[in-house]
Amino acid sequence: MRKRTITNGVVWLGAVDWDRRLFDSLIPLPDGTSYNAYLVEGSEKTALIDTVDPEMAGMLLSQLESVETIDYVIAQHAEQDHSGTIPQILERYPQAQVLATPKGKAMLVDLLRIPEERVTGVADGEVLSLGGKTLEFLYTPWVHWPETMSTYLREDRILFSCDFFGSHLATSDLYVTDQGLVYEAAKRYYAEIMMPFRAIIRKNLVKIKAYEIGIIAPSHGPIYDKPAFIVEAYEDWVTAEPKNSVVVPYISMHGSTRAMVAYLVSALAANGVTVHQFDLAVTDIGKLAIALVDAATLVVGTPTVHVGPHPLVANAAYLANALRPKLKFASIIGSYGWSSKAIERIAGQIPNLKVEILDPVMCKGYPRAADFEALDRLAAEIAAKHRELGLA
Ligand code: FEO
């Protein structure tokens, strides 16, 4: 992709990674991603904001061929998808100085072995004039590491936000053209890497709303020229209260747990509760993470494997525990052949979830009438709990 002008003196650089399907060897990228960098040229100095994943270094370096001088490299986040090409930039521009938060400086030295003397720490609120272009650095921690910051360009009212507001979405469009598509991609990204830190992100949102922002330029996905859309979405995601919804991740080996899940989901729907059902054998784990953003209740469905839960269910419970969603209630349903400790093992896996455990329903073999009645009671209890919280 060629470099593209945003406003006079502000240019998009970077790489669209259409084919990448996995991030951190963990996170599915069904729609690819992009690594956005930005060049800000003042009358006296030039700054490069973030770089690209080192796999795509050649693209950024070719876009910079006609740029003779870079004075500053603003490293808003030390993760390698944004910082990984900094060493090559410093080699090409020996006079360039990297600017980062003090925590970011330490990480850049540790992760990329950038010489300490090439990195300068900046303070929260510190201002850098490039000559007619004034950059203000705003600490915005935990979007997505503790060292992250955003950068506000005063004259053009642009907020460069790195992962914050970003979306894993490969597109040829410089700006958001399909809000629905971007909403899902941005929610996926928030769910997978930022959800545990939402209390701090709430403060970051208050902080950036003090600025008049015309454009939000993240380091993944398209640029927001109507930024209210994504700011309002974040405000919804980080609210303290969940919605009237239940997430049901499950595995079934011989059909018993599947029959229980189908019955429970139907009963919940009949009680006016929104349900998101995921067969963990085939699901995109990012979709599960998205559903967890709003869910009030988690019901895990598992068969019994060597006395414990199925390993894929254990994996999903581990993920839910790590993401610390807003869940208020949890339960377990499933089956066993001769004995099971699945309930105790799953309950022991989710200490981070401050949930009330509702009576589990485990059946021996294929569910009988009494098991279906127990599922009816569980569905009615979940619906009643949600009503008590004012969610329904
Ligand atoms: Fe896009 Fe946390 O890096």
Side-chain angles (χ1 to χ4, degrees):
M1 202 69 74
R2 298 171 198 175
K3 58 188 177 185
R4 302 164 91 169
T5 298
I6 299 172
T7 61
N8 189 30
V10 182
V11 175
W12 173 91
L13 307 171
V16 179
D17 199 341
W18 297 92
D19 301 325
R20 190 165 180 177
R21 286 293 172 268
L22 205 57
F23 198 84
D24 290 345
S25 298
L26 172 70
I27 297 169
L29 301 180
D31 303 309
T33 190
S34 68
Y35 318 107
N36 304 330
Y38 300 95
L39 194 71
V40 182
E41 295 174 295
S43 58
E44 296 160 17
K45 303 283 185 186
T46 298
L48 175 67
I49 299 180
D50 292 325
T51 65
V52 296
D53 190 282
E55 292 285 322
M56 298 263 173
M59 177 67 74
L60 178 62
L61 291 168
S62 72
Q63 291 164 337
L64 288 170
E65 264 173 17
S66 60
V67 177
E68 285 182 12
T69 305
I70 288 179
D71 300 284
Y72 304 105
V73 180
I74 316 294
Q76 301 189 107
H77 180 18
E79 191 165 16
Q80 290 88 336
D81 52 327
H82 310 293
S83 68
T85 303
I86 291 176
Q88 293 176 62
I89 297 291
L90 294 183
E91 201 178 320
R92 160 102 50 111
Y93 300 98
Q95 77 284 17
Q97 191 70 9
V98 179
L99 305 182
T101 65
K103 282 182 186 169
K105 172 176 177 170
M107 285 188 176
L108 292 168
V109 171
D110 287 341
L111 295 174
L112 299 170
R113 300 294 177 222
I114 295 174
E116 239 177 285
E117 63 274 14
R118 303 259 347 232
V119 190
T120 302
V122 295
D124 188 19
E126 189 170 326
V127 169
L128 174 71
S129 174
L130 305 176
K133 298 283 185 196
T134 310
L135 300 176
E136 183 173 345
F137 304 114
L138 308 174
Y139 286 13
T140 44
W142 294 106
V143 287
H144 106 260
W145 285 356
E147 90 298 0
T148 44
M149 69 175 185
S150 301
T151 304
Y152 181 66
L153 174 53
R154 285 180 181 170
E155 289 78 2
D156 300 291
R157 300 184 298 122
I158 300 175
L159 182 76
F160 301 96
S161 59
C162 203
D163 280 349
F164 197 16
F165 305 118
S167 61
H168 280 312
L169 184 63
T171 171
S172 59
D173 296 333
L174 183 60
Y175 296 99
V176 173
T177 52
D178 182 338
Q179 287 194 348
L181 193 65
V182 175
Y183 179 93
E184 165 123 355
K187 190 172 187 179
R188 170 186 288 269
Y189 198 39
Y190 163 82
E192 289 165 337
I193 66 167
M194 297 181 210
M195 180 155 53
F197 316 116
R198 59 186 174 279
I200 297 167
I201 297 173
R202 274 201 290 274
K203 293 181 187 167
N204 289 340
L205 287 168
V206 171
K207 185 171 191 172
I208 64 122
K209 284 188 79 172
Y211 292 79
E212 196 184 333
I213 296 171
I215 288 175
I216 291 180
S219 293
H220 294 291
I223 296 170
Y224 302 91
D225 54 355
K226 299 178 184 68
F229 141 67
I230 192 65
V231 173
E232 285 165 13
Y234 261 72
E235 285 176 332
D236 180 43
W237 301 337
V238 301
T239 54
E241 290 309 313
K243 295 189 165 65
N244 180 26
S245 75
V246 177
V247 174
V248 186
Y250 77 100
I251 283 285
S252 187
M253 297 194 299
H254 299 293
S256 299
T257 303
R258 178 172 287 110
M260 297 176 77
V261 165
Y263 191 89
L264 178 71
V265 168
S266 173
L268 284 165
N271 277 280
V273 180
T274 299
V275 194
H276 301 276
Q277 174 185 326
F278 298 97
D279 180 349
L280 294 168
V282 295
T283 197
D284 166 353
I285 208 79
K287 289 271 192 187
L288 172 62
I290 290 171
L292 285 170
V293 170
D294 300 318
T297 299
L298 173 70
V299 179
V300 175
T302 187
T304 298
V305 178
H306 297 308
V307 190
H310 190 284
L312 290 178
V313 172
N315 188 43
Y318 178 89
L319 180 71
N321 187 61
L323 294 179
R324 282 182 271 149
K326 304 168 194 168
L327 296 166
K328 302 289 186 190
F329 311 102
S331 191
I332 299 156
I333 64 173
S335 63
Y336 60 96
W338 47 96
S339 73
S340 178
K341 291 196 180 301
I343 294 171
E344 298 89 319
R345 299 231 178 126
I346 293 173
Q349 267 195 298
I350 52 173
N352 289 345
L353 304 181
K354 305 303 177 204
V355 290
E356 177 185 345
I357 302 285
L358 307 180
D359 281 346
V361 182
M362 291 295 285
C363 74
K364 189 172 186 180
Y366 197 81
R368 296 173 172 81
D371 302 310
F372 289 122
E373 285 166 15
L375 291 170
D376 273 327
R377 286 195 297 277
L378 177 59
E381 186 180 15
I382 290 169
K385 294 279 185 187
H386 287 196
R387 281 196 298 275
E388 280 169 26
L389 289 181
L391 308 179

